[in-house]
Amino acid sequence: MNGIDVFDGHNDSVQYMSDYKPGGRDFLARSEAGPLDLPRAMEGRLVGGLFALYAHPERKPENNVTQTSDGYEVRYAEALDEGYARRLIDAQLDAMNRLIRRSDGRMRLATGVDEINAARAASALAVVLHMEGAEAIGPGLDYLHTLHAAGLRSLGPVWSRPNIFGYGVPFAYPRSPDTGPGLTDAGRDLVRTCNTLGIMIDLAHLNERGFWDVAALSTAPLVATHACAHAICPSTRNLTDRQLDAIRDTDGVIGFNLAVYDIRADAHLDADTPLDLVVRHIEYLVNHVGADRVALGSDFDGTVVPREIKDASGLPRLLEAMRKAGFDEPALKKFAFENWLRVFGLTWQC
């Protein structure tokens, strides 16, 4: 269908890997469970991605979703204990390293643009470590340095819950992302230290005041690894036009989230969301910020994606739909691969 390689700005697949979760999926074997494994990545020409380490709550929240006449609200998950979160992150990091060793060169940890390109040339999947929510990092930031040495190159200071660094947006629709206070003093220290180390700061899941605090402090391009446009779907997780302007003005990037409820204007959880609707949302972002600043941030294993894509092997269908809508080959390559590498090159010290 096409021969365009893809780099994906976000997946949650670590949570489901057998190396981390007994009885989970073997990422090296093709499966119909979940949307992502190595064989289907290769089928879809997925050559790399940000793999998210994430500490889930100790207790699954109960009855935390409220349906309204025109939308929904999901109340905050509980704040996490630092020690508990660190144990989970350590276990996930160990699992990812074991998986890479088991892959016999078919997967490679990448900490720089050259390493991503080398993996691509060798037909290996480039794994870039990301962490979604910084609960495992204490105010002294020692563990941040440990993670950087282990290969971490991207960090979301918060998930959709508060922590010592700032405030995540609760999931809600229709609602503004301006849901509470911004960064704490510890959060400002975290941003400065990430800039010094060359760790990309991910603004996905951060509330609007936190977004503007990062924008005022950070010396790196602004990035949201998986988000959509609030003007089309007014959920808290989506970016307002003013936020999009700030990302454009810093030469950053928006990773387009394949979550159907953030793509659709009605926020319905409907896997039968058609690709022409998906492409129109991408067009809105590109028209607003330019073709150099929109990429893919699928959120595979973290959301419901359009059925016509279904999994990583279906990514060529998305690119073909974009092509039919008028995207030329240079624009498709920017969206699929080049925009992420440009921002990495501007952010990482490598």
Side-chain angles (χ1 to χ4, degrees):
M1 190 174 291
N2 70 67
I4 296 178
D5 289 341
V6 179
F7 189 98
D8 183 19
H10 189 86
N11 74 68
D12 288 309
S13 298
V14 179
Q15 306 294 315
Y16 302 94
M17 292 177 179
S18 58
D19 297 78
Y20 171 64
K21 181 181 179 181
R25 304 194 300 267
D26 183 353
F27 193 81
L28 302 181
R30 198 182 198 286
S31 171
E32 292 303 316
L36 182 59
D37 51 48
L38 184 60
R40 285 181 291 171
M42 296 298 100
E43 290 173 26
R45 299 189 68 98
L46 182 65
V47 298
L50 293 177
F51 283 71
L53 309 175
Y54 167 75
H56 57 77
E58 294 185 65
R59 293 172 296 278
K60 186 176 180 180
E62 296 181 2
N63 302 318
N64 65 326
V65 180
T66 301
Q67 296 288 339
T68 65
S69 60
D70 61 350
Y72 62 85
E73 179 176 356
V74 182
R75 290 181 295 282
Y76 275 124
E78 294 181 11
L80 298 187
D81 173 75
E82 177 188 334
Y84 163 82
R86 187 172 301 186
R87 289 192 295 274
L88 292 186
I89 297 302
D90 282 342
Q92 291 169 24
L93 183 59
D94 179 64
M96 179 56 74
N97 286 330
R98 285 188 283 112
L99 173 63
I100 291 171
R101 289 194 295 270
R102 279 202 304 118
S103 76
D104 293 326
R106 290 177 290 166
M107 298 176 67
R108 296 185 181 182
L109 180 67
T111 60
V113 172
D114 288 348
E115 291 178 348
I116 294 173
N117 285 325
R120 181 189 187 194
S123 299
L125 182 69
V127 173
V128 177
L129 293 179
H130 168 75
M131 190 163 73
E132 189 170 36
E135 285 86 356
I137 299 171
L141 305 182
D142 292 342
Y143 189 57
L144 177 65
H145 291 269
T146 299
L147 289 171
H148 180 260
L152 187 76
R153 290 299 179 270
S154 177
L155 171 68
V158 299
W159 184 70
S160 288
R161 60 192 171 210
N163 62 26
I164 65 170
F165 302 108
Y167 298 83
V169 284
F171 295 89
Y173 168 96
R175 187 78 60 81
S176 164
D178 186 10
T179 59
L183 295 181
T184 64
D185 288 342
R188 292 182 176 86
D189 288 342
L190 179 68
V191 169
R192 295 186 188 100
T193 304
C194 284
N195 283 168
T196 299
L197 293 173
I199 296 173
M200 188 175 77
I201 301 163
D202 177 21
L203 299 168
H205 290 281
L206 186 63
N207 70 7
E208 186 173 2
R209 294 188 199 183
F211 178 103
W212 294 117
D213 285 343
V214 173
L217 282 169
S218 181
T219 58
L222 298 178
V223 173
T225 61
H226 53 306
C228 296
H230 192 270
I232 293 179
C233 176
S235 76
T236 50
R237 277 277 290 111
N238 284 344
L239 299 166
T240 67
D241 283 355
R242 185 167 170 248
Q243 289 174 301
L244 295 177
D245 291 343
I247 291 173
R248 178 197 62 210
D249 293 346
T250 62
D251 208 14
V253 74
I254 303 109
F256 179 73
N257 190 355
L258 292 180
V260 293
Y261 48 80
D262 279 337
I263 293 172
R264 301 172 59 99
D266 60 13
H268 286 177
L269 185 63
D270 186 355
D272 289 322
T273 298
L275 285 185
D276 64 337
L277 190 152
V278 175
V279 173
R280 286 199 301 272
H281 201 129
I282 295 171
E283 286 176 328
Y284 180 88
L285 290 169
V286 170
N287 289 338
H288 200 92
V289 302
D292 292 330
R293 299 176 191 90
V294 184
L296 176 69
S298 74
D299 205 8
F300 281 147
D301 272 317
T303 194
V304 175
V305 306
R307 198 181 310 278
E308 289 181 75
I309 298 172
K310 184 184 175 184
D311 58 35
S313 69
L315 290 173
R317 290 191 285 275
L318 171 61
L319 296 179
E320 183 62 21
M322 293 173 65
R323 181 182 286 112
K324 289 179 178 177
F327 285 83
D328 61 18
E329 295 304 299
L332 289 173
K333 289 178 180 178
K334 288 177 180 181
F335 175 84
F337 185 82
E338 293 172 359
N339 288 344
W340 278 124
L341 266 68
R342 176 185 59 78
V343 166
F344 294 158
L346 291 170
T347 304
W348 297 343
Q349 297 180 5
C350 54

